[in-house]
């Protein structure tokens, strides 16, 4: 009988917890999105939802003077964020907390900015934007990345892959309409470059997948998990021109 059988969630955490980031993105694109927000000095309370181990939480804190709360479902990621904040001398202004982005623990109208990279699709863009709006101060900002169709061709294999993963893809125009219908005005929108997937995420993740295979030799669950992750890379190499992460930046209307 096999002992120490990891679940898919265990493997997801083990493969990602020591990566710089848990999804496509980069410090450059975080800064690019920040550049649309005007005067940053007045931002005293910021939340980064689905922060993972907090690459963008820390990037934000380095460009803002206020407090940044990083919130994620998994305590393992939050522990890493808190350690990194400590190492960077940001412990006073960065706080990681465990929680769910569809049930926020903040006071109404208390946040200047809600940030979320690569995470809102876990609950759905519309549900997230609608729920979060009440926590923003008047004129507060929201900035999210969401996987989106970039062309009018929607290959069935990609449609199925993302639906099976729990988040469908919509067009950029649809997602902008969702943002506006949820009570925000559009400030900016831009597509993350390919390197945010390949160099920033897939390459370091592949090293972590190889380590998983070494740690669990012959384990079928691990082999299937690794194969599915590698399939995502192959699909992106073949069809990545049709879909990608898009930053949507809005302001409470
Ligand atoms: C693709 S990762 C992105 C992490 C990080 N923002 C980054 O860009 O590296 C998605 C993150 O969302 C978190 N997540 C998923 N569902 C969530 C929920 N309902 N509430 C809070 N976090 C959630 C996951 O634990 C994971 O850390």
């Amino acid at each position: 009988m096999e002992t120490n059988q990891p679940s898919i969630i265990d493997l997801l955490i083990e493969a990602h917890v020591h990566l710089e980031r848990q999804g496509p993105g980069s410090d450059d694109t975080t800064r690019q999105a920040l550049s649309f927000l005007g005067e940053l000095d007045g931002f005293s309370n910021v939340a980064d939802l689905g922060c993972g181990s907090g690459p963008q939480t820390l990037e934000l804190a380095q460009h803002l003077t206020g407090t940044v709360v990083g919130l994620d479902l998994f305590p393992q990621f939050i522990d890493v964020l808190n350690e990194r904040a400590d190492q960077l001398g940001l412990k006073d202004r960065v706080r990681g907390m465990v929680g769910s982005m569809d049930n926020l623990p903040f006071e109404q109208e208390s946040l200047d900015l809600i940030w979320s990279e690569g995470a809102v699709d876990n609950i759905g863009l519309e549900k997230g934007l609608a729920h979060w709006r009440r926590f923003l101060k008047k004129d507060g900002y929201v900035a999210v990345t969401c996987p989106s169709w970039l062309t009018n061709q929607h290959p069935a294999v990609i449609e199925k892959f993302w639906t099976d993963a729990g988040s469908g893809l919509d067009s950029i125009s649809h997602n902008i309409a969702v943002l506006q219908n949820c009570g925000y005005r559009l400030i900016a929108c831009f597509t993350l470059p390919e390197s945010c997937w390949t160099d920033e995420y897939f390459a370091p993740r592949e090293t972590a997948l190889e380590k998983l295979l070494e740690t669990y030799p012959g384990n079928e669950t691990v082999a299937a998990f690794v194969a599915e992750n590698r399939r995502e890379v192959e699909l992106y190499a073949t069809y990545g021109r049709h879909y990608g992460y898009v930053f949507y930046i809005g302001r409470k209307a």
Side-chain angles (χ1 to χ4, degrees):
M1 193 177 82
E2 211 167 3
T3 54
N4 195 21
Q5 176 68 28
S7 70
I8 294 296
I9 295 288
D10 293 335
L11 293 172
L12 196 73
I13 294 170
E14 193 170 340
H16 285 86
V17 71
H18 295 300
L19 300 182
E20 274 302 308
R21 58 180 57 254
Q22 285 72 42
S26 72
D27 291 347
D28 281 350
T29 47
T30 297
R31 285 194 293 270
Q32 192 181 342
L34 259 182
S35 74
F36 291 103
L37 307 191
E39 192 49 63
L40 302 178
D41 282 350
F43 288 28
S44 48
N45 289 316
V46 175
D48 177 22
L49 309 178
C51 63
S53 62
Q56 66 288 302
T57 325
L58 299 167
E59 190 63 25
L60 291 175
Q62 283 163 330
H63 290 84
L64 302 169
T65 51
T67 300
V68 187
V69 173
L71 178 136
D72 200 277
L73 271 188
F74 295 115
Q76 295 91 331
F77 293 153
I78 292 300
D79 288 346
V80 175
L81 167 60
N82 284 330
E83 274 165 35
R84 288 180 180 168
D86 199 7
Q87 284 159 9
L88 290 169
L90 293 169
K91 208 172 142 190
D92 293 347
R93 293 194 298 109
V94 173
R95 184 163 56 93
M97 67 186 293
V98 177
S100 185
M101 65 177 113
D102 57 4
N103 184 20
L104 294 185
F106 307 111
E107 300 220 343
Q108 306 229 344
E109 302 199 2
S110 64
L111 300 171
D112 299 284
L113 167 64
I114 293 180
W115 203 270
S116 185
E117 292 195 32
V120 71
D121 52 302
N122 285 292
I123 61 167
L125 182 66
E126 185 167 9
K127 184 175 174 187
L129 290 176
H131 175 58
W132 302 346
R133 188 178 181 279
R134 75 201 67 171
F135 299 98
L136 285 174
K137 294 177 186 169
K138 181 173 179 293
D139 293 330
Y141 287 94
V142 69
V144 299
T145 66
C146 187
S148 312
W149 290 118
L150 304 179
T151 68
N152 286 337
Q153 290 173 49
H154 301 168
V157 65
I158 299 302
E159 190 115 51
K160 182 171 182 335
F161 181 86
W162 282 83
T163 304
D164 290 349
S167 52
L169 296 172
D170 284 303
S171 67
I172 294 174
S173 55
H174 173 92
N175 289 337
I176 289 174
V178 165
L179 178 125
Q180 291 167 332
N181 290 338
C182 286
Y184 303 88
R185 69 186 159 97
L186 181 71
I187 298 295
C189 166
F190 66 91
T191 304
L192 269 55
E194 194 181 310
S195 59
C196 284
W197 294 72
T198 51
D199 304 347
E200 301 280 346
Y201 179 50
F202 287 156
R205 188 181 69 179
E206 175 57 26
T207 306
L209 295 176
E210 280 161 17
K211 186 146 181 280
L212 273 188
L213 290 172
E214 278 170 29
T215 309
Y216 302 93
N219 185 303
E220 286 178 15
T221 307
V222 174
F225 174 81
V226 169
E228 188 62 3
N229 277 264
R230 287 178 172 166
R231 186 162 165 265
E232 182 192 14
V233 177
E234 281 164 25
L235 288 176
Y236 185 73
T238 310
Y239 298 104
R241 66 191 180 284
H242 298 299
Y243 65 102
Y245 273 92
V246 173
F247 238 119
Y248 298 92
I249 300 158
R251 195 165 193 189
K252 193 171 179 175

